[in-house]
Amino acid sequence: MKKLILSLLLATSATLSFSQSYVSFKYSQIYSKFYYRDEGGKPDASLRADMRTGYGIDFKRIVAGGFYVGAEAWYKNLGAVSYLNNQKLDWSLHYLDLNLGGGYMLQRFKVKPYIGVSFYGGYLFKANQTIATNYYNMLDNNTIKRWDYGIN
């Protein structure tokens, strides 16, 4: 993994000398839902999605022919809501994400659509569960992993 990240950084720094860059600030509404099944394999019918928010900064550098390399840093709040015996159950997960990748940006129009792929890593720094008026920190008892990573 370290070799891959080092290779990406070297390739990125080599292509940045003859390029055009873009910085954008982002705000998003995040629609997240958890899938839960009980011990019998039955899904929880009362579990529903919840709208949360995310904020980020995006940096893209256009290199030759419309190809780009880029990085994004995000704060994301994911969650879901359920009800058990008329008591609200709320999960709130707070992540800091970093994405590194590249792709192709169509340069023909004022609006510039693009497609790309990136590697991401997310760090869960806060994980709350609220049942009625009781609050639980899911990180204290190690019920959830702090790190998430993959390909976007």
Side-chain angles (χ1 to χ4, degrees):
M1 186 68 168
K2 289 181 184 179
K3 289 181 182 180
L4 177 64
I5 292 173
L6 182 60
S7 298
L8 283 172
L9 290 174
L10 289 174
T12 301
S13 63
T15 59
L16 295 181
S17 56
F18 302 105
S19 56
Q20 183 179 13
S21 61
Y22 298 90
V23 174
S24 59
F25 298 96
K26 298 182 176 186
Y27 167 80
S28 67
Q29 290 187 324
I30 300 170
Y31 177 82
S32 60
K33 181 174 181 174
F34 298 163
Y35 294 98
Y36 174 78
R37 296 187 183 273
D38 64 13
E39 293 171 353
K42 230 172 117 175
D44 181 357
S46 68
L47 188 63
R48 63 178 177 81
D50 199 13
M51 294 292 283
R52 305 289 170 104
T53 57
Y55 307 93
I57 185 168
D58 179 27
F59 173 79
K60 282 187 180 45
R61 191 166 282 249
I62 304 296
V63 294
F67 290 95
Y68 71 87
V69 293
E72 291 181 334
W74 277 91
Y75 159 76
K76 293 179 183 173
N77 181 2
L78 308 174
V81 175
S82 182
Y83 290 90
L84 178 65
N85 298 328
N86 293 325
Q87 293 188 26
K88 183 178 178 181
L89 285 77
D90 180 78
W91 293 270
S92 183
L93 308 176
H94 301 262
Y95 281 93
L96 293 176
D97 286 358
L98 180 64
N99 300 310
L100 300 172
Y104 181 77
M105 183 179 292
L106 190 59
Q107 298 283 324
R108 296 185 184 160
F109 311 106
K110 219 174 201 179
V111 175
K112 296 174 174 49
Y114 62 90
I115 187 167
V117 65
S118 66
F119 299 98
Y120 78 90
Y123 178 72
L124 179 64
F125 67 94
K126 186 176 180 184
N128 306 327
Q129 181 182 26
T130 307
I131 302 173
T133 58
N134 300 316
Y135 167 83
Y136 302 95
N137 184 344
M138 294 188 294
L139 295 176
D140 285 347
N141 55 13
N142 296 322
T143 58
I144 192 166
K145 293 180 182 178
R146 283 191 181 262
W147 288 98
D148 185 26
Y149 55 89
I151 297 175
N152 283 332

